[in-house]
Amino acid sequence: MRNGSKYSRAATTAIFAVMLSLLLPCSCRDYRVGRRMKAMMENPIVIPERLSTAWRDTVITGSVALCHPLLVIHVDSSYCSTCVIPKLNRYSPLYAQSLSEGTFRLAVIVSSPHGEARHICHQVGLHHFDFPVYVDLENEFDLLNPSIPSDRRFHSFLTDSLGRPRLIGDPTASEHLMKIFNEVLKSEDKTK
C-alpha cells in the first residue's frame, strides 16, 4: 500500500474479518433453514384421521378425510390457544378463495395440549368462523409428521396433490407471500 493511504493493510484485514464474522452466522443459519425446508418438502404430510371439526357453533368428532392439495395452517400445542384462535379469522378470504377456485382446500388444524381439547373446541365455537377448524384431539399431527420443524415459520404450507409441501409460509403474512402462493397454485393447476 502507498504511504498516506487512509487504511493500512492490517486495518483492512481486520475490517474484513469482522464483516466475515458477522455474515457467517447468518449464512450458517440460512443454510440450516434451507436444509430443514428441503427435508420437509421431500416428505408427504399425513393428516390425522380422528379430528374434531369445529365450525360456527357446531363441533363434530369423528373421521375426517382431507384431500390434497391443502393449505395447512397448523397451530401446535405449544401456542397459547386462547391468544391464537381469535386471530384465525384472517383465513376467511383464503377459505373463500378455496371454494371459488377449487384448486386447494384450507385445513386449519389446532393441536390441543393434553386435556384441553374440549376447551379448544369451545374457544373455536365462540368465534363462529365461516370455515371449519380441525382440532387435533390426540396431538397426533406432530407425531405423524416428524419432518416438520418445531420452528413456527414451517407450520403453514401448501401441499401438492401427493401431500408434499410445495410452498412453506403463511400467505396472509405478507403481500409477497400471497403473490407467491397464487403463482404456485397456478403452476400446480397447469401441471394437472
Side-chain angles (χ1 to χ4, degrees):
M1 288 193 147
R2 292 184 299 153
N3 279 342
S5 175
K6 193 171 185 178
Y7 296 106
S8 69
R9 185 178 302 259
T12 304
T13 303
I15 290 170
F16 179 74
V18 168
M19 289 174 55
L20 185 61
S21 69
L22 292 173
L23 292 175
L24 190 58
C26 294
S27 64
C28 290
R29 182 180 38 214
D30 290 345
Y31 176 72
R32 285 191 304 267
V33 167
R35 271 194 350 221
R36 286 190 272 167
M37 192 177 282
K38 184 176 186 268
M40 181 177 163
M41 293 177 92
E42 290 174 348
N43 294 291
I45 299 301
V46 180
I47 304 297
E49 287 182 24
R50 189 167 147 67
L51 297 170
S52 278
T53 307
W55 195 353
R56 296 186 177 105
D57 58 354
T58 306
V59 177
I60 302 167
T61 301
S63 294
V64 175
L66 294 172
C67 303
H68 296 282
L70 288 172
L71 172 59
V72 176
I73 308 297
H74 180 233
V75 179
D76 76 21
S77 61
S78 69
Y79 283 84
C80 165
S81 59
T82 307
C83 305
V84 173
I85 289 172
K87 297 175 184 174
L88 295 178
N89 61 2
R90 72 178 194 236
Y91 298 108
S92 290
L94 283 168
Y95 181 66
Q97 180 181 349
S98 74
L99 292 177
S100 69
E101 293 178 3
T103 54
F104 71 99
R105 292 186 62 183
L106 176 66
V108 176
I109 301 172
V110 180
S111 292
S112 67
H114 183 67
E116 291 190 29
R118 179 172 278 159
H119 171 70
I120 288 175
C121 289
H122 176 71
Q123 284 290 316
V124 170
L126 289 175
H127 293 281
H128 302 281
F129 296 116
D130 59 355
F131 55 89
V133 174
Y134 303 99
V135 181
D136 180 7
L137 300 170
E138 305 297 324
N139 207 3
E140 289 181 280
F141 189 83
D142 289 330
L143 297 172
L144 294 171
N145 299 289
S147 65
I148 300 176
S150 60
D151 184 333
R152 292 179 180 175
R153 294 176 293 177
F154 292 87
H155 292 188
S156 300
F157 48 87
L158 176 68
T159 67
D160 62 14
S161 58
L162 300 174
R164 290 182 309 244
R166 187 84 163 81
L167 171 73
I168 298 172
D170 184 344
T172 66
S174 72
E175 287 181 29
H176 180 68
L177 273 173
M178 185 61 79
K179 182 180 176 188
I180 294 171
F181 170 76
N182 286 314
E183 288 172 1
V184 170
L185 281 177
K186 285 177 188 169
S187 71
E188 281 292 309
D189 198 35
K190 289 178 184 177
T191 61
K192 289 181 182 177

